Amino acid sequence: MGGRFDGRGYGDVSGVLYDVSTDEDAFPRQGVAVFLASKGITDYAPGSKDWKREVLFTLVHEIGHGLNLPHAFDDGRDSALTWMNYPSRLDPEVFWNGFDHSFDERERHFLCHAPHADIAPGACAYATRRSNLLSGGRVGDAAFRDVPEPEDGDERARPLLQIGSLKPHYVFGEPVFLKVQLVNEGTSALRYAKAFDPSDGLLTVTIVKPRGEVRLVRAPFALCQNHRLRRLAPGGRVAFDGIFVAFDADGAIFDEPGRYTLSARYAGVPGHILTAPETRLRVLHPTREEERVAILVWDKPLLMRAIGLRQPLIARDDWESYREAVMHRLPVDPGNTTPAFLTYTAALGWMKPHKPACAPRGYEADLIKAGAHLREVRAAHLPSGVVRKKRQIARKLRRD
Ligand SMILES: [Zn+2]
């Protein structure tokens, strides 16, 4: 049980499934969390009947994901009365009147008859199943598929999706961020969910590697959240440039030099499944030192997790030796964002307290340290969130 989710989505995120699987260090579907300060739960008085109902529902729902059950609407069962649906997608009153606190027949069939590896946490990664008793759960699987087209003249809305990288070429081992943009090219407003990261469950990013290997970017965790729909006026555009894809739950992605092709699908505009035209980026051939520094990360799943979660303290020793190598062994290269990204990540780590449940002691947040790191960060070619964070912490430090 947590307070509020500290990341994209914040109060809208009511639960999370952690799903990380790499060869030597496999923990797929072994952790779930429920956020008691999320909007879906704080709508009700703590301790009241409805509050208990929401907490229990979210908890069983997340455990269901842990047992490899997808959202009912990802499996074509949009109106199923089960723990695995979102009551808000149906009429909540209809849902709660009909719901009898059970999984539906398909889910029960899966739980009773699927192979052990499909169900047991720690075995198959989320949404990967040996049986075909259930489908769905893959990132972007039609979360808004069967939502009827809004009636307010939306056929004149023309949503357009674009995806690209923040730089045309990258140094070997450099962090790669992607930017996705939604443009309304129509003459009437459209509604969209502002959920542009693969972990939000509505965006699927596909990357074709230089030798043809296809990678579907799989986030190390999946957020269950209330996707409130926002309005995008004609001619309007909205973008998110913080999609971190240097590595995902399955490990490194850009681990060979050459040309990579990016594409994306987005299910966050009701009534549409949008496809972005392909774009490309190139990873340059490394020097010996650049390659050595890059593999320091790719051989260490825990360090990748620490960087992915922007909390170096998760893998402190590996982090220190990696940082040391980046700062002192990489050739001086203003075009390489790796040092700036690492300094930024160190700053974020100091912005919040860190206390693992099993550790004897934790770390307090240290805004002075965070500020000192952030001042050094050159934000060029990093996501716009970096500049925002720099300003935010500078303001905070002035206030204190
Ligand atoms: Zn869910």
Side-chain angles (χ1 to χ4, degrees), residues 161 182 193-196 202-203 264-269 272-274:
L161 184 73
L182 177 67
K194 197 174 176 201
F196 293 120
L202 297 179
L203 183 81
R265 272 182 358 134
Y266 183 61
V269 177
H272 300 263
I273 297 287
L274 305 177

Side-chain angles (χ1 to χ4, degrees), residues 14-17 58 61-62 65 69-71 73 83-86 126 222-225:
S14 52
V16 62
L17 164 74
T58 313
H61 176 101
E62 295 307 327
H65 285 317
L69 295 173
H71 288 131
F73 50 82
W83 296 106
M84 299 317 293
N85 212 339
Y86 283 174
Y126 179 58
L223 305 178
C224 289
Q225 57 190 312

Side-chain angles (χ1 to χ4, degrees), residues 97-243:
N97 283 337
F99 179 55
D100 65 352
H101 296 81
S102 63
F103 292 105
D104 78 356
E105 211 183 311
R106 286 277 289 280
E107 293 157 349
R108 287 199 302 268
H109 190 70
F110 173 83
L111 291 173
C112 292
H113 301 293
H116 182 258
D118 282 13
I119 303 167
C124 292
Y126 179 58
T128 310
R129 302 176 190 94
R130 294 179 190 171
S131 66
N132 52 11
L133 301 175
L134 275 180
S135 64
R138 268 284 181 209
V139 182
D141 266 6
F144 277 97
R145 189 187 41 215
D146 288 337
V147 175
E149 193 99 16
E151 283 163 22
D152 47 9
D154 221 26
E155 65 274 16
R156 281 172 290 117
R158 279 189 37 219
L160 186 84
L161 184 73
Q162 294 159 335
I163 188 147
S165 52
L166 302 195
K167 295 169 64 181
H169 24 76
Y170 285 83
V171 173
F172 195 81
E174 192 178 353
V176 179
F177 285 93
L178 305 183
K179 173 180 179 172
V180 67
Q181 180 165 257
L182 177 67
V183 186
N184 182 0
E185 291 213 313
T187 52
S188 70
L190 61 83
R191 295 183 309 147
Y192 72 100
K194 197 174 176 201
F196 293 120
D197 191 85
S199 62
D200 294 321
L202 297 179
L203 183 81
T204 314
V205 178
T206 307
I207 298 173
V208 183
K209 294 174 62 165
R211 279 180 272 181
E213 188 195 334
V214 179
R215 281 285 289 270
L216 188 77
V217 174
R218 207 164 63 82
F221 50 86
L223 305 178
C224 289
Q225 57 190 312
N226 173 16
H227 298 297
R228 279 171 304 147
L229 294 180
R230 298 156 194 248
R231 184 175 177 278
L232 189 61
R237 59 188 59 218
V238 59
F240 175 63
D241 66 359
I243 305 173

Side-chain angles (χ1 to χ4, degrees), residues 25 45 67 117 143 253 284 310 312:
D25 192 2
L67 299 173
I253 296 179
L284 304 174
R310 311 282 187 272

Side-chain angles (χ1 to χ4, degrees), residues 309-325:
L309 294 170
R310 311 282 187 272
Q311 181 46 275
L313 296 172
I314 293 173
R316 188 156 196 178
D317 294 345
D318 289 340
W319 165 265
E320 292 299 348
S321 38
Y322 176 53
R323 188 140 185 267
E324 181 71 21

